Amino acid sequence: MSIISTTAPEDAEGDVAAIYAKDERDLGYVASHTRAMSVNPEAYLAWEQLVRAIVSQLGMRRYELVTLAAAQGTHSEHCRLAHGRKTLPLIEEDQLERVARDYHDADLSEAEVAMMEYAERIGRDAYAMTDADSLRLRELGFTDREIVDITLAAAARNYFSRAIQALAVDVDVPPGLSDRLRGALLAPL
């Protein structure tokens, strides 16, 4: 449980109320990570703008796959669960469960697997990456812009995951996840 005092939904005003309202519409409740990060609503809104800028070019499917892999690299249960739910409209549940357990064996394209390996590595050991890591993406047809956007998506996930982990934010289990999918998303990383 985080020591950070957050605004109760019924007491939220201004930007915080707007941020909370989005969670209410999307989830039916205000997520713990939203409450914690909304302590600085300007930073939270800037974060959302960054994500929109990345998704607008990368596309939602690629963004969510990168996010799941980066969250795996940072061992973020928060982000694996939240983005598992966000990925459900994009990928059939049985395939998403396989992606969560081992994306190498989930009937993804070679390019998608390489993209996820790259994103996971950013979460795990970006300091050791070299040109060879991005060269693999280039060899599979990714443009410079796509490589940068994949990198930004993974790095942004690292920022958010590490911030909520450092603040000891409670892990919420979003509605709409079957027991099997939840188990796959929470399996030891």
Side-chain angles (χ1 to χ4, degrees):
M1 174 135 217
S2 181
I3 65 157
I4 303 300
S5 296
T6 63
T7 303
E10 61 274 10
D11 296 330
E13 298 176 350
D15 287 341
V16 175
I19 292 165
Y20 283 12
K22 183 177 182 299
D23 263 19
E24 287 282 354
R25 282 190 308 276
D26 294 347
L27 298 172
Y29 66 97
V30 180
S32 298
H33 61 267
T34 301
R35 289 179 64 157
M37 297 303 274
S38 293
V39 169
N40 182 337
E42 298 83 8
Y44 188 90
L45 293 170
W47 154 259
E48 285 191 332
Q49 180 59 38
L50 173 63
V51 169
R52 282 191 297 275
I54 295 166
V55 170
S56 72
Q57 297 299 308
L58 193 57
M60 192 58 86
R61 178 184 168 96
R62 282 183 172 177
Y63 174 79
E64 291 300 341
L65 289 173
V66 166
T67 296
L68 286 170
Q72 182 170 327
T74 62
H75 302 277
S76 176
E77 291 180 349
H78 303 85
C79 295
R80 297 262 299 163
L81 287 167
H83 287 275
R85 181 182 179 276
K86 289 181 179 186
T87 306
L88 270 173
L90 307 171
I91 298 176
E92 296 285 331
E93 184 171 345
D94 64 326
Q95 185 180 24
L96 181 55
E97 182 184 339
R98 292 188 352 251
V99 167
R101 290 195 189 283
D102 181 2
Y103 58 83
H104 297 94
D105 187 29
D107 293 327
L108 297 174
S109 70
E110 182 181 3
E112 288 174 325
V113 169
M115 175 183 74
M116 291 183 78
E117 289 172 339
Y118 180 86
E120 183 179 0
R121 180 135 192 236
I122 290 170
R124 195 179 58 245
D125 60 358
Y127 66 89
M129 294 178 79
T130 68
D131 284 344
D133 294 288
S134 37
L135 181 59
R136 174 78 177 125
L137 296 179
R138 165 123 350 107
E139 289 169 348
L140 289 167
F142 288 99
T143 66
D144 286 347
R145 174 64 187 256
E146 290 169 326
I147 294 169
V148 168
D149 286 339
I150 291 164
T151 304
L152 289 173
R157 180 55 39 207
N158 278 298
Y159 153 76
F160 201 85
S161 294
R162 293 185 191 286
I164 60 179
Q165 289 169 330
L167 293 170
V169 172
D170 292 336
V171 176
D172 295 320
V173 178
L177 295 178
S178 68
D179 289 343
R180 286 181 44 175
L181 181 55
R182 184 174 54 250
L185 291 164
L186 293 175
L189 304 172

PDB file of all heavy atoms in Angstrom, residues 8-33:
ATOM      1  N   ALA A   8      -9.796  11.421  -3.040  1.00  0.00           N
ATOM      2  CA  ALA A   8     -10.932  10.510  -3.203  1.00  0.00           C
ATOM      3  C   ALA A   8     -11.731  10.948  -4.428  1.00  0.00           C
ATOM      4  O   ALA A   8     -11.818  12.149  -4.715  1.00  0.00           O
ATOM      5  CB  ALA A   8     -11.811  10.534  -1.966  1.00  0.00           C
ATOM      6  N   PRO A   9     -12.286   9.997  -5.168  1.00  0.00           N
ATOM      7  CA  PRO A   9     -13.045  10.372  -6.377  1.00  0.00           C
ATOM      8  C   PRO A   9     -14.123  11.421  -6.122  1.00  0.00           C
ATOM      9  O   PRO A   9     -14.291  12.338  -6.936  1.00  0.00           O
ATOM     10  CB  PRO A   9     -13.638   9.042  -6.841  1.00  0.00           C
ATOM     11  CG  PRO A   9     -12.655   8.020  -6.370  1.00  0.00           C
ATOM     12  CD  PRO A   9     -12.177   8.548  -5.030  1.00  0.00           C
ATOM     13  N   GLU A  10     -14.818  11.323  -4.997  1.00  0.00           N
ATOM     14  CA  GLU A  10     -15.896  12.288  -4.720  1.00  0.00           C
ATOM     15  C   GLU A  10     -15.362  13.684  -4.383  1.00  0.00           C
ATOM     16  O   GLU A  10     -16.111  14.667  -4.431  1.00  0.00           O
ATOM     17  CB  GLU A  10     -16.807  11.777  -3.603  1.00  0.00           C
ATOM     18  CG  GLU A  10     -16.135  11.550  -2.271  1.00  0.00           C
ATOM     19  CD  GLU A  10     -15.489  10.176  -2.101  1.00  0.00           C
ATOM     20  OE1 GLU A  10     -15.379   9.405  -3.086  1.00  0.00           O
ATOM     21  OE2 GLU A  10     -15.077   9.867  -0.976  1.00  0.00           O
ATOM     22  N   ASP A  11     -14.074  13.796  -4.094  1.00  0.00           N
ATOM     23  CA  ASP A  11     -13.475  15.089  -3.765  1.00  0.00           C
ATOM     24  C   ASP A  11     -12.649  15.682  -4.913  1.00  0.00           C
ATOM     25  O   ASP A  11     -12.108  16.784  -4.780  1.00  0.00           O
ATOM     26  CB  ASP A  11     -12.564  14.957  -2.531  1.00  0.00           C
ATOM     27  CG  ASP A  11     -13.328  14.562  -1.286  1.00  0.00           C
ATOM     28  OD1 ASP A  11     -14.528  14.916  -1.183  1.00  0.00           O
ATOM     29  OD2 ASP A  11     -12.737  13.878  -0.421  1.00  0.00           O
ATOM     30  N   ALA A  12     -12.535  14.952  -6.009  1.00  0.00           N
ATOM     31  CA  ALA A  12     -11.690  15.399  -7.119  1.00  0.00           C
ATOM     32  C   ALA A  12     -12.284  16.624  -7.804  1.00  0.00           C
ATOM     33  O   ALA A  12     -13.497  16.743  -7.970  1.00  0.00           O
ATOM     34  CB  ALA A  12     -11.518  14.266  -8.123  1.00  0.00           C
ATOM     35  N   GLU A  13     -11.392  17.524  -8.204  1.00  0.00           N
ATOM     36  CA  GLU A  13     -11.781  18.742  -8.912  1.00  0.00           C
ATOM     37  C   GLU A  13     -10.837  18.970 -10.085  1.00  0.00           C
ATOM     38  O   GLU A  13      -9.723  18.444 -10.114  1.00  0.00           O
ATOM     39  CB  GLU A  13     -11.706  19.947  -7.971  1.00  0.00           C
ATOM     40  CG  GLU A  13     -12.633  19.880  -6.784  1.00  0.00           C
ATOM     41  CD  GLU A  13     -12.459  21.061  -5.833  1.00  0.00           C
ATOM     42  OE1 GLU A  13     -11.490  21.848  -5.992  1.00  0.00           O
ATOM     43  OE2 GLU A  13     -13.298  21.198  -4.931  1.00  0.00           O
ATOM     44  N   GLY A  14     -11.263  19.768 -11.030  1.00  0.00           N
ATOM     45  CA  GLY A  14     -10.410  20.200 -12.133  1.00  0.00           C
ATOM     46  C   GLY A  14      -9.843  19.038 -12.938  1.00  0.00           C
ATOM     47  O   GLY A  14     -10.564  18.100 -13.296  1.00  0.00           O
ATOM     48  N   ASP A  15      -8.526  19.112 -13.200  1.00  0.00           N
ATOM     49  CA  ASP A  15      -7.862  18.077 -14.007  1.00  0.00           C
ATOM     50  C   ASP A  15      -7.964  16.698 -13.366  1.00  0.00           C
ATOM     51  O   ASP A  15      -8.128  15.689 -14.057  1.00  0.00           O
ATOM     52  CB  ASP A  15      -6.384  18.427 -14.224  1.00  0.00           C
ATOM     53  CG  ASP A  15      -6.175  19.565 -15.212  1.00  0.00           C
ATOM     54  OD1 ASP A  15      -7.101  19.867 -16.003  1.00  0.00           O
ATOM     55  OD2 ASP A  15      -5.074  20.155 -15.185  1.00  0.00           O
ATOM     56  N   VAL A  16      -7.853  16.653 -12.047  1.00  0.00           N
ATOM     57  CA  VAL A  16      -7.931  15.359 -11.365  1.00  0.00           C
ATOM     58  C   VAL A  16      -9.313  14.739 -11.572  1.00  0.00           C
ATOM     59  O   VAL A  16      -9.427  13.548 -11.867  1.00  0.00           O
ATOM     60  CB  VAL A  16      -7.585  15.490  -9.858  1.00  0.00           C
ATOM     61  CG1 VAL A  16      -7.791  14.168  -9.133  1.00  0.00           C
ATOM     62  CG2 VAL A  16      -6.150  15.979  -9.685  1.00  0.00           C
ATOM     63  N   ALA A  17     -10.352  15.537 -11.482  1.00  0.00           N
ATOM     64  CA  ALA A  17     -11.710  15.029 -11.720  1.00  0.00           C
ATOM     65  C   ALA A  17     -11.844  14.506 -13.149  1.00  0.00           C
ATOM     66  O   ALA A  17     -12.465  13.457 -13.376  1.00  0.00           O
ATOM     67  CB  ALA A  17     -12.743  16.118 -11.451  1.00  0.00           C
ATOM     68  N   ALA A  18     -11.264  15.204 -14.113  1.00  0.00           N
ATOM     69  CA  ALA A  18     -11.332  14.756 -15.505  1.00  0.00           C
ATOM     70  C   ALA A  18     -10.564  13.450 -15.709  1.00  0.00           C
ATOM     71  O   ALA A  18     -11.018  12.543 -16.418  1.00  0.00           O
ATOM     72  CB  ALA A  18     -10.795  15.850 -16.435  1.00  0.00           C
ATOM     73  N   ILE A  19      -9.410  13.346 -15.075  1.00  0.00           N
ATOM     74  CA  ILE A  19      -8.604  12.121 -15.164  1.00  0.00           C
ATOM     75  C   ILE A  19      -9.372  10.954 -14.547  1.00  0.00           C
ATOM     76  O   ILE A  19      -9.453   9.861 -15.119  1.00  0.00           O
ATOM     77  CB  ILE A  19      -7.236  12.327 -14.487  1.00  0.00           C
ATOM     78  CG1 ILE A  19      -6.386  13.317 -15.288  1.00  0.00           C
ATOM     79  CG2 ILE A  19      -6.507  10.993 -14.318  1.00  0.00           C
ATOM     80  CD1 ILE A  19      -5.171  13.855 -14.532  1.00  0.00           C
ATOM     81  N   TYR A  20      -9.960  11.175 -13.385  1.00  0.00           N
ATOM     82  CA  TYR A  20     -10.732  10.141 -12.709  1.00  0.00           C
ATOM     83  C   TYR A  20     -11.952   9.743 -13.544  1.00  0.00           C
ATOM     84  O   TYR A  20     -12.297   8.560 -13.620  1.00  0.00           O
ATOM     85  CB  TYR A  20     -11.197  10.622 -11.340  1.00  0.00           C
ATOM     86  CG  TYR A  20     -10.158  10.634 -10.237  1.00  0.00           C
ATOM     87  CD1 TYR A  20      -8.797  10.474 -10.486  1.00  0.00           C
ATOM     88  CD2 TYR A  20     -10.557  10.811  -8.927  1.00  0.00           C
ATOM     89  CE1 TYR A  20      -7.874  10.501  -9.456  1.00  0.00           C
ATOM     90  CE2 TYR A  20      -9.640  10.829  -7.878  1.00  0.00           C
ATOM     91  CZ  TYR A  20      -8.298  10.675  -8.155  1.00  0.00           C
ATOM     92  OH  TYR A  20      -7.387  10.688  -7.133  1.00  0.00           O
ATOM     93  N   ALA A  21     -12.602  10.713 -14.157  1.00  0.00           N
ATOM     94  CA  ALA A  21     -13.804  10.431 -14.956  1.00  0.00           C
ATOM     95  C   ALA A  21     -13.478   9.503 -16.119  1.00  0.00           C
ATOM     96  O   ALA A  21     -14.283   8.629 -16.463  1.00  0.00           O
ATOM     97  CB  ALA A  21     -14.424  11.729 -15.462  1.00  0.00           C
ATOM     98  N   LYS A  22     -12.302   9.653 -16.703  1.00  0.00           N
ATOM     99  CA  LYS A  22     -11.898   8.769 -17.807  1.00  0.00           C
ATOM    100  C   LYS A  22     -11.783   7.327 -17.307  1.00  0.00           C
ATOM    101  O   LYS A  22     -12.258   6.398 -17.959  1.00  0.00           O
ATOM    102  CB  LYS A  22     -10.586   9.241 -18.423  1.00  0.00           C
ATOM    103  CG  LYS A  22     -10.144   8.420 -19.619  1.00  0.00           C
ATOM    104  CD  LYS A  22      -8.877   9.000 -20.228  1.00  0.00           C
ATOM    105  CE  LYS A  22      -8.435   8.249 -21.447  1.00  0.00           C
ATOM    106  NZ  LYS A  22      -8.115   6.846 -21.227  1.00  0.00           N
ATOM    107  N   ASP A  23     -11.159   7.125 -16.147  1.00  0.00           N
ATOM    108  CA  ASP A  23     -11.081   5.779 -15.578  1.00  0.00           C
ATOM    109  C   ASP A  23     -12.480   5.230 -15.277  1.00  0.00           C
ATOM    110  O   ASP A  23     -12.763   4.056 -15.543  1.00  0.00           O
ATOM    111  CB  ASP A  23     -10.249   5.775 -14.293  1.00  0.00           C
ATOM    112  CG  ASP A  23      -8.813   5.350 -14.503  1.00  0.00           C
ATOM    113  OD1 ASP A  23      -8.334   5.403 -15.649  1.00  0.00           O
ATOM    114  OD2 ASP A  23      -8.159   4.980 -13.505  1.00  0.00           O
ATOM    115  N   GLU A  24     -13.331   6.064 -14.714  1.00  0.00           N
ATOM    116  CA  GLU A  24     -14.712   5.635 -14.418  1.00  0.00           C
ATOM    117  C   GLU A  24     -15.413   5.157 -15.691  1.00  0.00           C
ATOM    118  O   GLU A  24     -16.081   4.123 -15.673  1.00  0.00           O
ATOM    119  CB  GLU A  24     -15.511   6.764 -13.760  1.00  0.00           C
ATOM    120  CG  GLU A  24     -15.133   7.057 -12.337  1.00  0.00           C
ATOM    121  CD  GLU A  24     -15.696   6.068 -11.339  1.00  0.00           C
ATOM    122  OE1 GLU A  24     -16.486   5.175 -11.701  1.00  0.00           O
ATOM    123  OE2 GLU A  24     -15.321   6.176 -10.157  1.00  0.00           O
ATOM    124  N   ARG A  25     -15.249   5.910 -16.782  1.00  0.00           N
ATOM    125  CA  ARG A  25     -15.869   5.513 -18.062  1.00  0.00           C
ATOM    126  C   ARG A  25     -15.272   4.215 -18.596  1.00  0.00           C
ATOM    127  O   ARG A  25     -15.977   3.343 -19.072  1.00  0.00           O
ATOM    128  CB  ARG A  25     -15.689   6.612 -19.113  1.00  0.00           C
ATOM    129  CG  ARG A  25     -16.619   7.785 -18.986  1.00  0.00           C
ATOM    130  CD  ARG A  25     -16.542   8.706 -20.198  1.00  0.00           C
ATOM    131  NE  ARG A  25     -15.194   9.131 -20.550  1.00  0.00           N
ATOM    132  CZ  ARG A  25     -14.539  10.167 -20.002  1.00  0.00           C
ATOM    133  NH1 ARG A  25     -15.120  10.874 -19.055  1.00  0.00           N
ATOM    134  NH2 ARG A  25     -13.323  10.471 -20.396  1.00  0.00           N
ATOM    135  N   ASP A  26     -13.942   4.114 -18.530  1.00  0.00           N
ATOM    136  CA  ASP A  26     -13.245   2.969 -19.122  1.00  0.00           C
ATOM    137  C   ASP A  26     -13.294   1.713 -18.256  1.00  0.00           C
ATOM    138  O   ASP A  26     -13.370   0.603 -18.776  1.00  0.00           O
ATOM    139  CB  ASP A  26     -11.780   3.320 -19.401  1.00  0.00           C
ATOM    140  CG  ASP A  26     -11.612   4.390 -20.463  1.00  0.00           C
ATOM    141  OD1 ASP A  26     -12.592   4.708 -21.177  1.00  0.00           O
ATOM    142  OD2 ASP A  26     -10.491   4.927 -20.577  1.00  0.00           O
ATOM    143  N   LEU A  27     -13.197   1.878 -16.931  1.00  0.00           N
ATOM    144  CA  LEU A  27     -13.060   0.732 -16.031  1.00  0.00           C
ATOM    145  C   LEU A  27     -14.249   0.526 -15.096  1.00  0.00           C
ATOM    146  O   LEU A  27     -14.434  -0.558 -14.565  1.00  0.00           O
ATOM    147  CB  LEU A  27     -11.810   0.905 -15.152  1.00  0.00           C
ATOM    148  CG  LEU A  27     -10.463   0.969 -15.852  1.00  0.00           C
ATOM    149  CD1 LEU A  27      -9.371   1.348 -14.865  1.00  0.00           C
ATOM    150  CD2 LEU A  27     -10.156  -0.350 -16.523  1.00  0.00           C
ATOM    151  N   GLY A  28     -14.965   1.600 -14.831  1.00  0.00           N
ATOM    152  CA  GLY A  28     -16.031   1.531 -13.842  1.00  0.00           C
ATOM    153  C   GLY A  28     -15.555   1.905 -12.447  1.00  0.00           C
ATOM    154  O   GLY A  28     -16.318   1.870 -11.485  1.00  0.00           O
ATOM    155  N   TYR A  29     -14.301   2.265 -12.303  1.00  0.00           N
ATOM    156  CA  TYR A  29     -13.710   2.685 -11.032  1.00  0.00           C
ATOM    157  C   TYR A  29     -12.439   3.474 -11.348  1.00  0.00           C
ATOM    158  O   TYR A  29     -11.977   3.489 -12.487  1.00  0.00           O
ATOM    159  CB  TYR A  29     -13.375   1.482 -10.139  1.00  0.00           C
ATOM    160  CG  TYR A  29     -12.293   0.586 -10.696  1.00  0.00           C
ATOM    161  CD1 TYR A  29     -10.965   0.727 -10.275  1.00  0.00           C
ATOM    162  CD2 TYR A  29     -12.572  -0.393 -11.643  1.00  0.00           C
ATOM    163  CE1 TYR A  29      -9.966  -0.075 -10.788  1.00  0.00           C
ATOM    164  CE2 TYR A  29     -11.576  -1.206 -12.166  1.00  0.00           C
ATOM    165  CZ  TYR A  29     -10.279  -1.042 -11.733  1.00  0.00           C
ATOM    166  OH  TYR A  29      -9.280  -1.831 -12.250  1.00  0.00           O
ATOM    167  N   VAL A  30     -11.875   4.123 -10.335  1.00  0.00           N
ATOM    168  CA  VAL A  30     -10.613   4.842 -10.509  1.00  0.00           C
ATOM    169  C   VAL A  30      -9.491   3.923 -10.030  1.00  0.00           C
ATOM    170  O   VAL A  30      -9.455   3.518  -8.861  1.00  0.00           O
ATOM    171  CB  VAL A  30     -10.604   6.170  -9.722  1.00  0.00           C
ATOM    172  CG1 VAL A  30      -9.272   6.893  -9.938  1.00  0.00           C
ATOM    173  CG2 VAL A  30     -11.770   7.054 -10.145  1.00  0.00           C
ATOM    174  N   ALA A  31      -8.604   3.579 -10.949  1.00  0.00           N
ATOM    175  CA  ALA A  31      -7.507   2.656 -10.636  1.00  0.00           C
ATOM    176  C   ALA A  31      -6.539   3.272  -9.620  1.00  0.00           C
ATOM    177  O   ALA A  31      -6.339   4.494  -9.590  1.00  0.00           O
ATOM    178  CB  ALA A  31      -6.759   2.295 -11.915  1.00  0.00           C
ATOM    179  N   SER A  32      -5.933   2.422  -8.830  1.00  0.00           N
ATOM    180  CA  SER A  32      -4.964   2.874  -7.823  1.00  0.00           C
ATOM    181  C   SER A  32      -3.813   3.639  -8.460  1.00  0.00           C
ATOM    182  O   SER A  32      -3.366   4.667  -7.929  1.00  0.00           O
ATOM    183  CB  SER A  32      -4.415   1.674  -7.042  1.00  0.00           C
ATOM    184  OG  SER A  32      -5.438   1.025  -6.344  1.00  0.00           O
ATOM    185  N   HIS A  33      -3.329   3.147  -9.604  1.00  0.00           N
ATOM    186  CA  HIS A  33      -2.205   3.841 -10.251  1.00  0.00           C
ATOM    187  C   HIS A  33      -2.627   5.213 -10.776  1.00  0.00           C
ATOM    188  O   HIS A  33      -1.849   6.152 -10.741  1.00  0.00           O
ATOM    189  CB  HIS A  33      -1.577   2.992 -11.360  1.00  0.00           C
ATOM    190  CG  HIS A  33      -2.484   2.634 -12.472  1.00  0.00           C
ATOM    191  ND1 HIS A  33      -3.205   1.465 -12.498  1.00  0.00           N
ATOM    192  CD2 HIS A  33      -2.795   3.296 -13.616  1.00  0.00           C
ATOM    193  CE1 HIS A  33      -3.915   1.410 -13.606  1.00  0.00           C
ATOM    194  NE2 HIS A  33      -3.696   2.512 -14.293  1.00  0.00           N
TER     195      HIS A  33
END
